[in-house]
Amino acid sequence: MELLKERIRRDGKIKAGNVLKVDSFLNHQMDTDLFQEIGKEFKRRFADAEINKILTIEASGIGIACVVAQQFHVPVVFAKKNQTKNIAGDVYTSKVESYTHGRTYDIIVAKEFLGAGDKVLLIDDFLANGKALEGLAALVQASGAELVGAGIVIEKGFQVGGDAIRASGIRLESLAIVDSMDEESGTITFRDDEA
Ligand code: 5GP
């Protein structure tokens, strides 16, 4: 998605540990015009798919998931990062190892909002090592719902997540795949770039 790549080139900041900061338009301040275009692009890429629910993970996936959901006219469910020790009630749970925070946490979804008969599209902002998507896919599987695919705004193609997710048979659409980023020069290359 050229508009997105241009924006990443212009406003993305490369941080230590291969972290790409996009706080000015995606992760903190959110550019809602860009979000609309992102929503339309996911709709175009999954136009052939039957989807009745979008599943994402709090917090940064929620905004994106909502604009995608508006295109499909379906609800969004976001997995909650569980803070408390005792998981209350009827929930599905799985574990996610956080790339940016360096710890493992439980994610939960109430059984009443996900189950057999649902056709689910996963949406998230970033794909790095694939742990967040794997955790969400595990929730879908536990619920008996059907996993239709996964949509990612920015995939870091030099980390293992994309290959692992594709190898597992999940249909993955990433709007921008970063192939390399150089902290010193600030140069970012994308997978579709010529030369
Ligand atoms: P994964 O589970 O694929 O290793 O990491 C995905 C999650 O970590 C995303 O939900 C995202 O919040 C966060 N993340 C991973 N890498 C980056 C990055 O380079 N920049 C930002 N802003 N978030 C990242």
Side-chain angles (χ1 to χ4, degrees), residues 153-166:
V153 180
I154 305 174
E155 174 181 337
K156 292 191 290 182
F158 53 87
Q159 289 182 245
V160 299
D163 287 347
I165 295 293
R166 289 184 181 93

Side-chain angles (χ1 to χ4, degrees), residues 52-168:
N52 78 336
K53 203 160 277 189
I54 306 260
L55 178 65
T56 188
I57 185 165
E58 68 174 354
S60 48
I62 297 175
I64 293 288
C66 285
V67 293
V68 180
Q70 278 188 315
Q71 294 292 324
F72 285 95
H73 303 287
V74 298
V76 173
V77 176
F78 64 92
K80 297 188 177 192
K81 292 174 179 167
N82 196 43
Q83 309 288 351
T84 57
K85 276 265 175 281
N86 57 346
I87 295 166
D90 266 352
V91 296
Y92 302 110
T93 137
S94 77
K95 289 202 181 302
V96 172
E97 215 180 285
S98 166
Y99 177 75
T100 39
H101 299 112
R103 63 186 175 85
T104 300
Y105 50 86
D106 294 307
I107 57 171
I108 62 165
V109 164
K111 288 185 177 173
E112 76 178 290
F113 301 126
L114 194 63
D118 281 333
K119 297 176 190 303
V120 181
L121 175 64
L122 306 180
I123 292 287
D124 204 6
D125 59 342
F126 268 89
L127 175 59
N129 290 326
K131 301 299 178 192
L133 273 192
E134 282 169 14
L136 291 173
L139 293 179
V140 173
Q141 195 178 18
S143 74
E146 183 190 327
L147 181 55
V148 174
I152 291 290
V153 180
I154 305 174
E155 174 181 337
K156 292 191 290 182
F158 53 87
Q159 289 182 245
V160 299
D163 287 347
I165 295 293
R166 289 184 181 93
S168 74

